[in-house]
Amino acid sequence: MGNYDACRDVSILSVEPVGPEGAAKGCYMLTLANPGFSPAVAGQFVMVRPRAFQQNLIWPRPFSICRLTAEALTLFVQVCGRGTEILCRLVPGDTATVWGPLGQGFALEPEVPTVMLAGGVGIAPFVEYAAGHPSPERLSLVFGHRLPLSCYPFDAFSGLKQAEAFQEKGPDDLAAFIAHLETTIAGHADGLVLACGPRPFLVTVARLARKYSVRAQVSLENRMACGVGGCLGCVEKNVLGTYVQTCTQGPVFWVEELALSEES
């Protein structure tokens, strides 16, 4: 079983749509009282199960830590099913059971030029990463998204060396974005690349990191049921052909550890 600081019932402090189109597009910031966590490593996650799930939804939902302060835990939630829809309908004073921080987070190397590559909701852990980075002048972000930019917490990166956003509206946009990823990764041969997003995005990042021999980490978004290594529902194939648990040995892995592909 994984190690974690707390498994507690906490109060919902707020549920706010992100930007003027957030409610229509299903993008929210869910803020809960800090369950008693010690400082987390950016890239770690939490499991959340509100009482509103009742007996209809048994399993909790995993979320990257978007921001953690002494008072509050903030999560970026995009509605994509029944569970996230219920979470985004919660109101202040509702209660949820939360456990974490869980898993392994991103490497932090303050003296090394670091680029964060985010796709969609994969922007979430980088809010915490940027907030805690001691050398923002060495930190940059490349963000690919489909919804309007205002639906994401992109404003959190205004203090970085550079923050770029690319919206995908069609196949040509995707091809241009991949070309930009390649240029960016190739330019970090002496730096560090960190990535979080949907699987095809991570497969592309891993392929390019190997091509240019760049040190890179990816954060997987595998489905999870427990988050602490008890159910074996989130396994990922490694380079040895065996399997590792994403919840306890990840979700962040070095690219060379994984046999990352669309089919894994």
Side-chain angles (χ1 to χ4, degrees):
M1 302 289 280
N3 295 320
Y4 49 93
D5 286 347
C7 178
R8 298 176 185 169
D9 292 339
V10 298
S11 295
I12 306 300
L13 301 181
S14 65
V15 183
E16 300 289 341
V18 182
E21 299 180 78
K25 301 296 186 180
C27 295
Y28 292 83
M29 283 297 188
L30 171 62
T31 303
L32 310 94
N34 187 329
F37 294 171
S38 60
V41 177
Q44 289 185 300
F45 67 98
V46 296
M47 302 296 291
V48 181
R49 190 183 190 282
R51 288 187 179 175
F53 278 9
Q54 299 181 354
Q55 300 304 313
N56 298 316
L57 296 176
I58 302 300
W59 302 114
R61 298 295 188 268
F63 293 96
S64 294
I65 294 172
C66 186
R67 192 73 179 96
L68 179 65
T69 67
E71 295 78 26
L73 166 67
T74 301
L75 310 174
F76 176 55
V77 182
Q78 182 175 351
V79 176
C80 59
R82 287 192 301 159
T84 48
E85 182 179 2
I86 290 171
L87 281 163
C88 292
R89 290 203 308 262
L90 298 176
V91 298
D94 285 346
T95 302
T97 303
V98 181
W99 55 101
L102 302 168
Q104 310 300 316
F106 287 111
L108 178 62
E109 300 177 2
E111 301 306 314
V112 175
T114 301
V115 61
M116 304 173 292
L117 306 178
V121 295
I123 196 172
F126 293 128
V127 174
E128 178 70 17
Y129 192 88
H133 200 283
S135 303
E137 71 278 3
R138 297 180 182 271
L139 190 61
S140 58
L141 170 75
V142 176
F143 177 46
H145 60 100
R146 290 179 176 171
L147 301 180
L149 185 60
S150 63
C151 293
Y152 301 95
F154 187 74
D155 290 346
F157 304 97
S158 59
L160 303 188
K161 174 185 177 182
Q162 186 176 31
E164 304 173 280
F166 299 84
Q167 186 173 15
E168 180 190 342
K169 297 180 179 179
D172 291 343
D173 296 325
L174 178 58
F177 180 59
I178 292 174
H180 186 72
L181 286 179
E182 181 161 9
T183 300
T184 301
I185 292 171
H188 277 74
D190 296 324
L192 179 63
V193 170
L194 311 175
C196 184
R199 189 173 195 91
F201 173 77
L202 298 182
V203 170
T204 298
V205 170
R207 174 178 60 82
L208 294 172
R210 295 184 186 114
K211 178 179 178 180
Y212 293 102
S213 300
V214 176
R215 296 169 60 243
Q217 290 185 318
V218 293
S219 179
L220 304 182
E221 295 184 341
N222 294 20
R223 291 181 178 272
M224 298 181 188
C226 71
V228 295
C231 69
L232 301 179
C234 64
V235 295
E236 180 73 25
K237 186 180 290 185
N238 64 17
V239 292
L240 301 176
T242 58
Y243 289 88
V244 292
Q245 290 175 284
T246 299
C247 62
T248 56
Q249 294 168 272
V252 177
F253 294 91
W254 290 99
V255 163
E256 62 266 23
E257 295 179 285
L258 300 177
L260 194 60
S261 70
E262 295 280 6
E263 294 77 25
S264 294

